[in-house]
Amino acid sequence: MTMSDSNPMTLFSMTERAMSAQMVRMNAATSNLANAGSVASSEAEAYRPIRVRFASELDQATGLSGVRSDGIVRSETAPVKRYEPSNPLADAEGHVWEAPVDESAEMIEIMESARQYQNLVQALTTAKQLMLETLRSN
């Protein structure tokens, strides 16, 4: 995808989009983690983990490439069928369907997105400092 030529991408707009994408990524992983261990009475009703799909953007005017979130996709991983006849959500055969959430993988996803967000904040801070130094030297 390309950005509009009327609004060329700047370092700040590119970083803003990347930070927003990391927040969406972190929120998706947090949602998955919040639903870990949840059960439903049928396979169709069981929670399935979500992931953010990303797309790149190229600004023709500056040649800068950025990223944006391009929607959310549900995992095709099948819920775990578990025999638990005492559960009020159990079906007629005594089974419940547990969300197939890998808690360790979700924690890693959260930590990676937080680290990327932190790196982007540092990049903005550095750019701001360089701009201020440039203005002071003139």
Side-chain angles (χ1 to χ4, degrees):
M1 170 173 247
T2 47
M3 291 190 62
S4 168
D5 288 333
S6 61
N7 295 324
M9 189 184 297
T10 65
L11 172 67
F12 296 104
S13 64
M14 180 178 71
T15 306
E16 175 187 2
R17 289 171 189 251
M19 290 171 75
S20 176
Q22 291 304 323
M23 285 301 297
V24 172
R25 178 182 172 200
M26 192 181 307
N27 286 337
T30 303
S31 177
N32 292 339
L33 200 54
N35 285 286
S38 65
V39 295
S41 57
S42 72
E43 184 176 9
E45 295 173 354
Y47 178 83
R48 286 186 170 74
I50 56 176
R51 287 286 175 242
V52 181
R53 184 176 51 212
F54 293 103
S56 62
E57 296 179 305
L58 176 64
D59 181 32
Q60 297 293 333
T62 63
L64 292 174
S65 181
V67 67
R68 66 177 170 79
S69 55
D70 193 36
I72 306 267
V73 293
R74 288 233 173 253
S75 171
E76 295 297 323
T77 307
V80 179
K81 185 177 179 180
R82 201 172 65 212
Y83 184 68
E84 199 174 300
S86 62
N87 191 312
L89 293 175
D91 62 13
E93 298 170 354
H95 293 101
V96 292
W97 300 85
E98 184 177 354
V101 176
D102 180 345
E103 294 176 46
S104 296
E106 298 306 328
M107 287 301 296
I108 290 169
E109 186 76 8
I110 290 168
M111 289 187 315
E112 285 180 354
S113 59
R115 188 174 298 124
Q116 291 298 323
Y117 191 91
Q118 185 179 20
N119 290 342
L120 292 162
V121 169
Q122 185 60 45
L124 277 179
T125 302
T126 301
K128 181 180 117 184
Q129 288 172 344
L130 290 172
M131 288 178 163
L132 288 172
E133 286 299 318
T134 301
L135 290 172
R136 287 183 192 132
S137 66
N138 287 333

